[in-house]
Each structure stands twice: as C-alpha cells, then as structure tokens.
Amino acid sequence: MPKANLIEPAFTDPSRIRNFCIIAHIDHGKSTLADRMLQATGVVGAREMQDQYLDRMDIERERGITIKSQAVRMPWTVAGQPYALNMIDTPGHVDFSYEVSRSLAACEGAILLVDAAQGIQAQTLANLYMALENDLVVIPVLNKIDLPAAMPEQQAEEIAGLIGCDPDDVLRVSAKTGEGVGELLDKIIADVPAPVGDLEAPARALIFDSVYDIYRGVVTYVRVVDGSFGPRERILMMSSKDSHELLEIGVISPEPMASKGLAVGEVGYMITGAKDLRQSRVGDTITLQHRGANVPLSGYQDPKPMVFSGIYPIDGSDFSALREGLDKLRLNDAALSYEPESSAALGFGFRCGFLGLLHLEIIRERIEREAGIDIIATAPSVVYHVVTEDGTKVEVLNPSDYPDGKLKEVREPIVKATILTPAEFVGSVMELCQSRRGALGGMDYLSTERVEMHYTLPLAEIVMDFFDQLKSRTKGYASLDYEMAGEQEADLVRVDILLNGEQVDAFSAIVHRDSAYHYGQMMTKKLKKLIPRQQFEVPVQAAIGARVIARETIKALRKDMLAKCYGGDISRKRKLLEKQKEGKKRMKSIGRVDVPQEAFIAALTTDVPDGK
C-alpha cells in the first residue's frame, strides 16, 4: 500500500483535506465508483481488490446494495501537492435516510451520481435536496457511459435543469472501466471546499456511523468539527452522557490505521471498548470529558421504528435461539427494537420495530442465516394512536392491542411520497395512489418524458405491496421515495378472522373501513384453500367486532354411510344419514381446527392485493 502521499493523521493541514460522499439511487454504481477510486489512489492493490470492496456483509454483495455507511481515506496529488480525500459511501435506500443525512453533515461536497441509461430517480432527488440543505458543493456525474443504452446528452440536460449548471459541466465516467475517474478526483480537490473549524475550541466530533466488532467492541466513525482528540483521553457522548477512555484512534485507508490523534476536519474511527452500540448513536456529538464543549452539534435524533412485525420461530424450541440471534443483530444495528410477545396461534415470539420494509427483509434474512432457524413474520403494521370514548389514549403497535367498543379518534401516520415516472404512466400511477387513499400534492415535468409526482399517502397503505404494484404498472420505470409527514385522522377498524367461531390473532389486521370487506373476503378465500378439510364443517369468518362481514365454509370430510345399503326402505337410509349428521354436529361443538404452519406462512407472506 503506497503511503508516500498519505498525509500523517492528526497533523494534516485542514486546507489539504477534502471530505465528500457519493449520493445516488440503488444500483447506479456508487460502490463500483468507490472501487475505482480506491484503485486509482493506490490504497488497494490489484491482489486485494474485489468488487464492492467497501461492502463488508455477504447480504450487501448478493443484493448489490449498501446497508452500512463506509468511510475511507485516500491520498491524491495535484500539481505536486499531496491531499487527503475522505470518502463516505452512503446507503441508497429510503429506509436508511437518517444515516445518509448524518453522512452528508460530515462532508463539504457530494458527488451526484446518475445512471446514464436510467436517469434521475426518486431517491437521488431526495438525497440531492438533503445535500443542498446542508450547503454541500454538488458535483454532477454521469455513470455507465459505456452502456449501449446510455443517453449522456439527454441525461446531462436533465441534471443541468435540476441543479442549475451547464450540461457541459456534468462529468462523464464509467465506474466499470475507470474512464474519467482521475478527472473526477481532480475536480473534487478543485471544487470541494476545505473543512472549516477551530483547533483551539473545545473538541467536538460528529458520529456518522458505528459498527460492532466481536473482538474490540464498538468502533465509532467520526468527523472532527472542532479541536482535537488523542489516544487515552476521556471522551463524553453528549446525548447519553456515557463516558469512555479512548483506547485507539485512527483513520481507515481502507483498513484501520492507528494514529496519534484526529484534528479539525479529519474523518476517522475511535475505539473505546464499549460493548453496546446504543452507547455510540449515529448523529451524537463526542467531546472531551474535561474542558469539553457545552453545545452539541445539531441534527441528532433517535432512530424511530416505522414498521412493526411479529417474528416467531416455526419450531417453538428455537425461541431461545431467536432471542440470541436478535441480541447479536442489535449489537450491529441500533435501529432494531424488539420485545417478547405471545400469540395463541404462533406461540412465543418477538414484536420487532424496523425502519422500513427493506430493513425488515434484511433482518429476517440475517436471522435465518446467522442463527440457522426458520421463522414466520406476521404482516407488517404501523403505529396507530387511538383515543377511546372515555378519553384514554392508546398506542397500538399490534392489531391485538386495538381497543374494542366505541372510539373517539384514530390517528395513523402519513408520508409525503415523491414518485418519478415516464409521462405515459401518469394515469396508471394516479389510479394506484387514489386506490391507496392518496392525495395529489402536485406534479412537475423534469423533461418532456419524465414527471415528478408528489402524493400524501397513509404509511399503512405503502408498507405492504405498494412498491411492487408501482413497478408492475410502470414496467419497472417508476421510482419511489418518501418521508414521514405526521399523522391524520382516519376511519380504521380491526378485522378479525374466526375459525369455527374462534379468533386467530395472527390474521387480525387494522384496515380502513372502506377496505375491510375486501380484506375479509380475500383472507377467508385464501384460508379456505390453505386449511385442510376436517371431520366437521368449518366456517371461516371475517368480523368487525361482533358483525361478520365475510364467510367461507370448509366442507366436512364425509364417509359414505350408504355404501352398504343395497335397496331396502328409504327410512333406513335416512336414519343412517341423520345419525351421521348428529355426530358431525357434536364433533363441531368440541372439535378444534389445527392450522398447519404452511398455511400460516402462505397466508402471512403473500402480499395483499391493492384493494380494487
């Protein structure tokens, strides 16, 4: 690893530092561009190089997505002057937008990376607006110019119209071949301003990410804003008031390298020996315990779960393994929350809170892989706030917590969604959003062929299959981004599913009154197909309170009682059939319907149709 150009950490002149990040939509080539930069600057040799070098998790490599932010320090020389480039590779999915916002706060510049074949996507726009709010210098870059389907001139005009630059200012690169990467690094040094801070002020550093290492504890990634930090100093986390001794401090280039300290403008890591990720929260401010700062850096907030789902082991004996798996995952993911719960149908499990659907999917997959157990996840739900007739306020995370009787008010979370779609699909997208109780907030034409649509939608309507429906209606061309926008009052009801008169809590759902009949019909028909026939007739009912709104009947398995009756009086046959009928009635009153696990999995994992 060549270190001739790598400026010694802790003594770097801030004017020689450039902090930048890459913002782009999923699959627009962020991680590949980062790979080429690592090679161009020489910090990773040809022998160590592999695709998606900064993505350390197997699931990131398989899916081609970035889940955790990664930071790396790279040397680059321009006109004989050595510079230190600190690059932060950020996640691109809406679920991790808070991590992206903290990464942007740690930088002075951002590379806006756009696929030359696909153009600007909704998540790109969301991150671009976030970068502009943070007063970052934006360098527009078109990637994948080597593709046959690339339209660099058209996409450059679209980007120029969006950020107000000249189409000729948009750099053309190919992260795959490395074309244009050297020019991009030169432009970063020329355009991105050096970090500004006061070396003599009390030390302050922003945490933009943290990970758990099984040998060393929590590794905290920081950007120093004021002052300096050195090894063996006592530091203080300003939100949690936790105090630790700095066991090691250094930079990542791209492997951790211990240094004599970190000063103004530098990006690096700190190791304190802490064993809990919640002691080192993303967005928090670190200062020195003695002579430290009094005012934290702005923007910190606790990660709030948006989507809740029950996770249960298929085999009840795996409950302790599931608990252990969740405990290990929380060491690396402070946004995951969970508490034990039990279900009459599924046994013991956990009610888990997630940042969004991708977060839920990743956690499920990691539990199954790392803990080696099979699990069922109930249909995702959101947080509702209910006020009962007597004024009691109830927070509902689970349909079974939904109060019975008359309710004064029910409030549900809503989101502001941005949808980018080709103009020909506008009608289809509007139809989908209206079927999900959406309210149109406005439309902007980015070009003659692409439209940006703004909708206010209930979060509950988009956590199931909204994205899949959007993709299928627009032949895969539309993209979606959303942010929380408070709450609204809604006419919501709990639909219960009854088997032979007994409620099955795992199938209960909170839905809008207008969609309740459809949901009840859909679930009863599905369960009729999935549940095997019993010795007695089984009614499958959907009910709101005591009122049944939909019903299907699973016919009884019947033995042919008349098989041995050859001729004879009809009264003899009738007597045998009446005897069988009485037996079935008696069995129905004492019989219990066992729902096989396969039926639970099929009923809970299949997406609910769009309500038309």
PDB file of all heavy atoms in Angstrom, residues 28-50:
ATOM      1  N   HIS A  28     -26.965   2.445  -9.123  1.00  0.00           N
ATOM      2  CA  HIS A  28     -26.450   3.416 -10.094  1.00  0.00           C
ATOM      3  C   HIS A  28     -24.924   3.429 -10.108  1.00  0.00           C
ATOM      4  O   HIS A  28     -24.331   4.234 -10.816  1.00  0.00           O
ATOM      5  CB  HIS A  28     -27.005   4.818  -9.816  1.00  0.00           C
ATOM      6  CG  HIS A  28     -28.368   5.022 -10.386  1.00  0.00           C
ATOM      7  ND1 HIS A  28     -28.836   6.248 -10.809  1.00  0.00           N
ATOM      8  CD2 HIS A  28     -29.368   4.154 -10.630  1.00  0.00           C
ATOM      9  CE1 HIS A  28     -30.070   6.115 -11.274  1.00  0.00           C
ATOM     10  NE2 HIS A  28     -30.409   4.857 -11.163  1.00  0.00           N
ATOM     11  N   GLY A  29     -24.287   2.563  -9.291  1.00  0.00           N
ATOM     12  CA  GLY A  29     -22.838   2.390  -9.391  1.00  0.00           C
ATOM     13  C   GLY A  29     -22.009   3.077  -8.328  1.00  0.00           C
ATOM     14  O   GLY A  29     -20.823   3.331  -8.541  1.00  0.00           O
ATOM     15  N   LYS A  30     -22.600   3.398  -7.144  1.00  0.00           N
ATOM     16  CA  LYS A  30     -21.830   4.041  -6.064  1.00  0.00           C
ATOM     17  C   LYS A  30     -20.637   3.190  -5.650  1.00  0.00           C
ATOM     18  O   LYS A  30     -19.507   3.655  -5.602  1.00  0.00           O
ATOM     19  CB  LYS A  30     -22.710   4.240  -4.816  1.00  0.00           C
ATOM     20  CG  LYS A  30     -23.721   5.317  -4.897  1.00  0.00           C
ATOM     21  CD  LYS A  30     -24.304   5.647  -3.525  1.00  0.00           C
ATOM     22  CE  LYS A  30     -24.860   4.454  -2.791  1.00  0.00           C
ATOM     23  NZ  LYS A  30     -26.016   3.847  -3.439  1.00  0.00           N
ATOM     24  N   SER A  31     -20.918   1.924  -5.305  1.00  0.00           N
ATOM     25  CA  SER A  31     -19.865   1.054  -4.769  1.00  0.00           C
ATOM     26  C   SER A  31     -18.811   0.755  -5.825  1.00  0.00           C
ATOM     27  O   SER A  31     -17.624   0.646  -5.503  1.00  0.00           O
ATOM     28  CB  SER A  31     -20.479  -0.249  -4.238  1.00  0.00           C
ATOM     29  OG  SER A  31     -21.393   0.038  -3.197  1.00  0.00           O
ATOM     30  N   THR A  32     -19.213   0.643  -7.100  1.00  0.00           N
ATOM     31  CA  THR A  32     -18.245   0.381  -8.174  1.00  0.00           C
ATOM     32  C   THR A  32     -17.345   1.591  -8.384  1.00  0.00           C
ATOM     33  O   THR A  32     -16.126   1.458  -8.579  1.00  0.00           O
ATOM     34  CB  THR A  32     -18.986   0.040  -9.490  1.00  0.00           C
ATOM     35  OG1 THR A  32     -19.978  -0.949  -9.215  1.00  0.00           O
ATOM     36  CG2 THR A  32     -18.028  -0.496 -10.525  1.00  0.00           C
ATOM     37  N   LEU A  33     -17.926   2.796  -8.326  1.00  0.00           N
ATOM     38  CA  LEU A  33     -17.116   4.014  -8.451  1.00  0.00           C
ATOM     39  C   LEU A  33     -16.131   4.101  -7.284  1.00  0.00           C
ATOM     40  O   LEU A  33     -14.966   4.463  -7.468  1.00  0.00           O
ATOM     41  CB  LEU A  33     -18.020   5.251  -8.484  1.00  0.00           C
ATOM     42  CG  LEU A  33     -17.297   6.601  -8.599  1.00  0.00           C
ATOM     43  CD1 LEU A  33     -16.491   6.684  -9.890  1.00  0.00           C
ATOM     44  CD2 LEU A  33     -18.288   7.760  -8.520  1.00  0.00           C
ATOM     45  N   ALA A  34     -16.583   3.736  -6.094  1.00  0.00           N
ATOM     46  CA  ALA A  34     -15.689   3.735  -4.924  1.00  0.00           C
ATOM     47  C   ALA A  34     -14.530   2.761  -5.151  1.00  0.00           C
ATOM     48  O   ALA A  34     -13.378   3.061  -4.803  1.00  0.00           O
ATOM     49  CB  ALA A  34     -16.475   3.351  -3.670  1.00  0.00           C
ATOM     50  N   ASP A  35     -14.823   1.594  -5.740  1.00  0.00           N
ATOM     51  CA  ASP A  35     -13.760   0.618  -6.054  1.00  0.00           C
ATOM     52  C   ASP A  35     -12.701   1.226  -6.955  1.00  0.00           C
ATOM     53  O   ASP A  35     -11.495   1.073  -6.735  1.00  0.00           O
ATOM     54  CB  ASP A  35     -14.352  -0.615  -6.757  1.00  0.00           C
ATOM     55  CG  ASP A  35     -15.214  -1.478  -5.832  1.00  0.00           C
ATOM     56  OD1 ASP A  35     -15.116  -1.268  -4.607  1.00  0.00           O
ATOM     57  OD2 ASP A  35     -15.941  -2.344  -6.330  1.00  0.00           O
ATOM     58  N   ARG A  36     -13.162   1.939  -8.027  1.00  0.00           N
ATOM     59  CA  ARG A  36     -12.208   2.517  -8.977  1.00  0.00           C
ATOM     60  C   ARG A  36     -11.369   3.611  -8.303  1.00  0.00           C
ATOM     61  O   ARG A  36     -10.190   3.784  -8.614  1.00  0.00           O
ATOM     62  CB  ARG A  36     -12.951   3.105 -10.188  1.00  0.00           C
ATOM     63  CG  ARG A  36     -13.705   2.137 -11.044  1.00  0.00           C
ATOM     64  CD  ARG A  36     -12.837   1.109 -11.755  1.00  0.00           C
ATOM     65  NE  ARG A  36     -12.458  -0.014 -10.912  1.00  0.00           N
ATOM     66  CZ  ARG A  36     -13.280  -1.022 -10.605  1.00  0.00           C
ATOM     67  NH1 ARG A  36     -14.515  -1.056 -11.053  1.00  0.00           N
ATOM     68  NH2 ARG A  36     -12.861  -2.015  -9.846  1.00  0.00           N
ATOM     69  N   MET A  37     -11.980   4.383  -7.390  1.00  0.00           N
ATOM     70  CA  MET A  37     -11.232   5.422  -6.677  1.00  0.00           C
ATOM     71  C   MET A  37     -10.155   4.804  -5.793  1.00  0.00           C
ATOM     72  O   MET A  37      -9.036   5.319  -5.698  1.00  0.00           O
ATOM     73  CB  MET A  37     -12.184   6.269  -5.827  1.00  0.00           C
ATOM     74  CG  MET A  37     -13.042   7.221  -6.631  1.00  0.00           C
ATOM     75  SD  MET A  37     -14.098   8.190  -5.533  1.00  0.00           S
ATOM     76  CE  MET A  37     -14.756   9.391  -6.686  1.00  0.00           C
ATOM     77  N   LEU A  38     -10.500   3.689  -5.132  1.00  0.00           N
ATOM     78  CA  LEU A  38      -9.525   3.004  -4.277  1.00  0.00           C
ATOM     79  C   LEU A  38      -8.331   2.530  -5.106  1.00  0.00           C
ATOM     80  O   LEU A  38      -7.189   2.590  -4.661  1.00  0.00           O
ATOM     81  CB  LEU A  38     -10.180   1.806  -3.575  1.00  0.00           C
ATOM     82  CG  LEU A  38     -11.265   2.120  -2.535  1.00  0.00           C
ATOM     83  CD1 LEU A  38     -11.913   0.845  -2.032  1.00  0.00           C
ATOM     84  CD2 LEU A  38     -10.683   2.892  -1.360  1.00  0.00           C
ATOM     85  N   GLN A  39      -8.626   2.047  -6.323  1.00  0.00           N
ATOM     86  CA  GLN A  39      -7.543   1.580  -7.193  1.00  0.00           C
ATOM     87  C   GLN A  39      -6.728   2.748  -7.736  1.00  0.00           C
ATOM     88  O   GLN A  39      -5.492   2.694  -7.779  1.00  0.00           O
ATOM     89  CB  GLN A  39      -8.121   0.767  -8.359  1.00  0.00           C
ATOM     90  CG  GLN A  39      -8.559  -0.637  -7.950  1.00  0.00           C
ATOM     91  CD  GLN A  39      -9.063  -1.442  -9.132  1.00  0.00           C
ATOM     92  OE1 GLN A  39      -9.954  -0.998  -9.843  1.00  0.00           O
ATOM     93  NE2 GLN A  39      -8.496  -2.614  -9.347  1.00  0.00           N
ATOM     94  N   ALA A  40      -7.433   3.817  -8.163  1.00  0.00           N
ATOM     95  CA  ALA A  40      -6.736   4.967  -8.759  1.00  0.00           C
ATOM     96  C   ALA A  40      -5.796   5.637  -7.763  1.00  0.00           C
ATOM     97  O   ALA A  40      -4.716   6.108  -8.126  1.00  0.00           O
ATOM     98  CB  ALA A  40      -7.751   5.981  -9.283  1.00  0.00           C
ATOM     99  N   THR A  41      -6.199   5.674  -6.478  1.00  0.00           N
ATOM    100  CA  THR A  41      -5.359   6.332  -5.456  1.00  0.00           C
ATOM    101  C   THR A  41      -4.323   5.392  -4.874  1.00  0.00           C
ATOM    102  O   THR A  41      -3.471   5.820  -4.088  1.00  0.00           O
ATOM    103  CB  THR A  41      -6.247   6.889  -4.322  1.00  0.00           C
ATOM    104  OG1 THR A  41      -7.061   5.827  -3.806  1.00  0.00           O
ATOM    105  CG2 THR A  41      -7.147   8.000  -4.830  1.00  0.00           C
ATOM    106  N   GLY A  42      -4.413   4.090  -5.211  1.00  0.00           N
ATOM    107  CA  GLY A  42      -3.394   3.133  -4.800  1.00  0.00           C
ATOM    108  C   GLY A  42      -3.523   2.596  -3.388  1.00  0.00           C
ATOM    109  O   GLY A  42      -2.613   1.933  -2.893  1.00  0.00           O
ATOM    110  N   VAL A  43      -4.641   2.859  -2.688  1.00  0.00           N
ATOM    111  CA  VAL A  43      -4.757   2.343  -1.316  1.00  0.00           C
ATOM    112  C   VAL A  43      -5.130   0.857  -1.292  1.00  0.00           C
ATOM    113  O   VAL A  43      -4.976   0.197  -0.277  1.00  0.00           O
ATOM    114  CB  VAL A  43      -5.768   3.155  -0.457  1.00  0.00           C
ATOM    115  CG1 VAL A  43      -5.273   4.562  -0.240  1.00  0.00           C
ATOM    116  CG2 VAL A  43      -7.143   3.142  -1.064  1.00  0.00           C
ATOM    117  N   VAL A  44      -5.650   0.341  -2.412  1.00  0.00           N
ATOM    118  CA  VAL A  44      -5.935  -1.092  -2.505  1.00  0.00           C
ATOM    119  C   VAL A  44      -5.199  -1.633  -3.727  1.00  0.00           C
ATOM    120  O   VAL A  44      -5.391  -1.143  -4.843  1.00  0.00           O
ATOM    121  CB  VAL A  44      -7.451  -1.372  -2.655  1.00  0.00           C
ATOM    122  CG1 VAL A  44      -7.703  -2.870  -2.799  1.00  0.00           C
ATOM    123  CG2 VAL A  44      -8.210  -0.843  -1.454  1.00  0.00           C
ATOM    124  N   GLY A  45      -4.341  -2.618  -3.508  1.00  0.00           N
ATOM    125  CA  GLY A  45      -3.583  -3.208  -4.603  1.00  0.00           C
ATOM    126  C   GLY A  45      -4.436  -4.156  -5.429  1.00  0.00           C
ATOM    127  O   GLY A  45      -5.534  -4.550  -5.032  1.00  0.00           O
ATOM    128  N   ALA A  46      -3.919  -4.543  -6.596  1.00  0.00           N
ATOM    129  CA  ALA A  46      -4.660  -5.431  -7.507  1.00  0.00           C
ATOM    130  C   ALA A  46      -4.960  -6.775  -6.854  1.00  0.00           C
ATOM    131  O   ALA A  46      -5.998  -7.388  -7.098  1.00  0.00           O
ATOM    132  CB  ALA A  46      -3.858  -5.629  -8.790  1.00  0.00           C
ATOM    133  N   ARG A  47      -4.041  -7.251  -5.990  1.00  0.00           N
ATOM    134  CA  ARG A  47      -4.229  -8.572  -5.376  1.00  0.00           C
ATOM    135  C   ARG A  47      -5.382  -8.555  -4.367  1.00  0.00           C
ATOM    136  O   ARG A  47      -6.160  -9.488  -4.287  1.00  0.00           O
ATOM    137  CB  ARG A  47      -2.941  -9.010  -4.682  1.00  0.00           C
ATOM    138  CG  ARG A  47      -3.026 -10.381  -4.067  1.00  0.00           C
ATOM    139  CD  ARG A  47      -1.697 -10.821  -3.510  1.00  0.00           C
ATOM    140  NE  ARG A  47      -0.735 -11.086  -4.569  1.00  0.00           N
ATOM    141  CZ  ARG A  47       0.506 -11.519  -4.346  1.00  0.00           C
ATOM    142  NH1 ARG A  47       0.929 -11.702  -3.106  1.00  0.00           N
ATOM    143  NH2 ARG A  47       1.332 -11.751  -5.336  1.00  0.00           N
ATOM    144  N   GLU A  48      -5.494  -7.463  -3.584  1.00  0.00           N
ATOM    145  CA  GLU A  48      -6.549  -7.398  -2.554  1.00  0.00           C
ATOM    146  C   GLU A  48      -7.901  -6.970  -3.130  1.00  0.00           C
ATOM    147  O   GLU A  48      -8.933  -7.147  -2.489  1.00  0.00           O
ATOM    148  CB  GLU A  48      -6.179  -6.391  -1.444  1.00  0.00           C
ATOM    149  CG  GLU A  48      -4.935  -6.749  -0.663  1.00  0.00           C
ATOM    150  CD  GLU A  48      -3.681  -6.150  -1.280  1.00  0.00           C
ATOM    151  OE1 GLU A  48      -3.780  -5.100  -1.940  1.00  0.00           O
ATOM    152  OE2 GLU A  48      -2.606  -6.758  -1.132  1.00  0.00           O
ATOM    153  N   MET A  49      -7.897  -6.412  -4.338  1.00  0.00           N
ATOM    154  CA  MET A  49      -9.123  -5.811  -4.882  1.00  0.00           C
ATOM    155  C   MET A  49     -10.200  -6.851  -5.152  1.00  0.00           C
ATOM    156  O   MET A  49      -9.928  -7.934  -5.639  1.00  0.00           O
ATOM    157  CB  MET A  49      -8.794  -5.079  -6.191  1.00  0.00           C
ATOM    158  CG  MET A  49      -9.911  -4.164  -6.659  1.00  0.00           C
ATOM    159  SD  MET A  49     -10.204  -2.847  -5.493  1.00  0.00           S
ATOM    160  CE  MET A  49     -11.936  -2.586  -5.703  1.00  0.00           C
ATOM    161  N   GLN A  50     -11.442  -6.501  -4.785  1.00  0.00           N
ATOM    162  CA  GLN A  50     -12.613  -7.304  -5.142  1.00  0.00           C
ATOM    163  C   GLN A  50     -13.783  -6.353  -5.355  1.00  0.00           C
ATOM    164  O   GLN A  50     -13.766  -5.230  -4.865  1.00  0.00           O
ATOM    165  CB  GLN A  50     -12.945  -8.325  -4.048  1.00  0.00           C
ATOM    166  CG  GLN A  50     -13.187  -7.707  -2.678  1.00  0.00           C
ATOM    167  CD  GLN A  50     -13.583  -8.754  -1.640  1.00  0.00           C
ATOM    168  OE1 GLN A  50     -14.229  -9.730  -1.975  1.00  0.00           O
ATOM    169  NE2 GLN A  50     -13.190  -8.539  -0.400  1.00  0.00           N
TER     170      GLN A  50
END
